[in-house]
Amino acid sequence: MPSETHEETLALREQFNTEAQQKDASTLGMWIFLITEIMFFGGMFLAYTVYRRWYADVFAVASSSLNVYIGAANTVVLLCSSLTMVLAVRAAQLGNRKAIVWFLILTLLLGGVFLGVKAYEWNEKFVEHHIPGPNFHFEGIAQQGPAQLFFSLYFAMTGLHALHMVIGAGLLIMLIVQAGKGRFSASYMTPVDVVGLYWHFVDIIWIFLFPLLYLIDRHLGK
Amino acid sequence: MTEHTEHIDSARSYVLVFLALITLTVVTTAVAFVDLGDFSVVAALAIAVCKMLLVALFFMHVRHSTKLTKLVLAGALVWLGILIVFTLTDFATRGLAGIPGR
């Protein structure tokens, strides 16, 4: 029996039978997108692993030149933004429209702080000539090539992560505008939910980037 | 349409997960300064995996997800494992045979 036609709403489009079915489909779709992202970042993590094995000594020295306290503080900032994001999703589940907007704005601000700190760190690298290229110079080691390789991977990985943050910030602004207009309710909050998944995913990428880039060779450096 | 039973976790549980994540961040930073030899990497990655699980299970609601979503995620981790393990079986074993180029 084909299901009888129903009135179309945001939470129940024509092609779905129930609201739960539509919600599950959206969640699964977002996860499948995130899985393509896992494989995308996985390739970068793998490249880092291979070169770190080959040039372990140089990578240890280069890694130890990063400021671990700034990295740790930025990790805390990002974790705070994940907390406010999940509270925004919770506010949406409860249909508390004002709270959605405020938690999303907080998330956006914390994301901005993270990117600001990241910009400060990158600027430091320019000042120290740690940017891969003709002016690259890393003090105290003979092998400049592998050191450039470390910083190439550092900029590629943190840069791609930051790009995801910028896209996330754009999505948050879109949500804030829509939530401000009262588009989301307890029965329809899928966009808040899936953007939340994206934001937490970007957080997880940083959870791995932080120890791999800043921490694991710390006891060898200096 | 009331069959849609969504799990809404308490704000308190989210704050507890958040505090656990902050604690783990402090621990991983502190442990990095201790010389554990090769286990530095193991400790750092073990803590990172714990943090990932906390974020995924609680913040990303994986523990309330459908079986299909969980299966798809487990499948993704298997593929990521294939990418990493099969590549490292090459790079990590070069030179073991003592033959140049092998």
Side-chain angles (χ1 to χ4, degrees):
Chain A
M1 268 289 287
S3 66
E4 66 275 30
T5 52
H6 50 71
E7 201 187 328
E8 203 178 17
T9 64
L10 283 175
L12 185 54
R13 294 296 192 183
E14 192 180 356
Q15 68 269 32
F16 294 103
N17 288 328
T18 64
E19 289 188 7
Q21 184 193 32
Q22 178 174 336
K23 187 84 201 308
D24 289 344
S26 303
T27 309
L28 182 63
M30 192 62 195
W31 271 112
I32 288 178
F33 166 68
L34 292 181
I35 285 166
T36 68
E37 293 267 82
I38 291 173
M39 300 310 285
F40 171 59
F41 276 99
M44 307 233 51
F45 281 111
L46 185 58
Y48 171 85
T49 308
V50 167
Y51 285 116
R52 186 178 169 273
R53 281 185 57 87
W54 276 1
Y55 304 113
D57 300 341
V58 180
F59 268 47
V61 177
S63 159
S64 296
S65 76
L66 301 177
N67 188 326
V68 68
Y69 300 108
I70 293 183
N74 232 4
T75 307
V76 171
V77 170
L78 208 52
L79 290 173
C80 288
S81 81
S82 259
L83 176 67
T84 56
M85 186 71 228
V86 84
L87 290 175
V89 171
R90 182 170 183 274
Q93 287 172 331
L94 295 170
N96 186 346
R97 291 179 182 182
K98 261 194 172 160
I100 305 175
V101 176
W102 283 113
F103 280 125
L104 288 176
I105 288 174
L106 269 177
T107 310
L108 181 63
L109 288 176
L110 288 163
V113 170
F114 179 91
L115 286 172
V117 173
K118 208 66 225 160
Y120 169 78
E121 279 189 284
W122 284 334
N123 181 55
E124 267 194 334
K125 301 293 147 227
F126 274 96
V127 174
E128 293 167 347
H129 296 287
H130 289 175
I131 306 290
N135 293 323
F136 182 86
H137 178 70
F138 194 90
E139 315 73 28
I141 55 168
Q143 292 173 289
Q144 295 290 310
Q148 288 211 46
L149 197 51
F150 173 82
F151 282 101
S152 299
L153 285 164
Y154 168 81
F155 279 103
M157 293 168 97
T158 58
L160 273 173
H161 177 263
L163 176 66
H164 280 79
M165 296 278 300
V166 171
I167 293 168
L171 293 171
L172 284 175
I173 292 169
M174 187 193 79
L175 285 185
I176 290 166
V177 171
Q178 291 185 344
K181 289 178 183 163
R183 186 178 165 92
F184 306 122
S185 61
S187 63
Y188 177 71
M189 42 74 73
T190 305
V192 184
D193 203 29
V194 296
V195 170
L197 288 179
Y198 175 86
W199 193 264
H200 298 309
F201 166 79
V202 176
D203 192 9
I204 287 177
I205 293 295
W206 182 260
I207 283 174
F208 282 95
L209 282 179
F210 171 58
L212 289 177
L213 293 175
Y214 289 75
L215 292 182
I216 52 178
D217 296 316
R218 186 63 48 177
H219 62 284
L220 301 171
K222 298 280 149 66
Chain B
M1 287 298 160
T2 50
E3 88 255 38
H4 191 76
T5 51
E6 198 163 32
H7 296 270
I8 302 178
D9 292 324
S10 68
R12 187 170 174 273
S13 67
Y14 287 138
V15 171
L16 287 176
V17 171
F18 168 74
L19 291 176
L21 287 167
I22 297 294
T23 310
L24 286 172
T25 303
V26 173
V27 169
T28 193
T29 308
V31 165
F33 289 96
V34 182
D35 192 353
L36 298 174
D38 290 342
F39 281 96
S40 282
V41 183
V42 179
L45 286 180
I47 292 173
V49 167
C50 290
K51 289 166 77 179
M52 175 196 77
L53 287 174
L54 282 174
V55 173
L57 290 174
F58 291 89
F59 287 179
M60 298 171 96
H61 305 126
V62 170
R63 66 197 187 111
H64 301 315
S65 290
T66 58
K67 279 183 183 154
L68 179 59
T69 302
K70 286 176 186 163
L71 182 67
V72 164
L73 271 172
L77 293 180
V78 171
W79 282 109
L80 183 66
I82 291 171
L83 174 74
I84 292 171
V85 173
F86 281 27
T87 308
L88 290 183
T89 52
D90 173 1
F91 284 101
T93 57
R94 288 189 184 183
L96 281 187
I99 305 163
R102 298 289 163 92

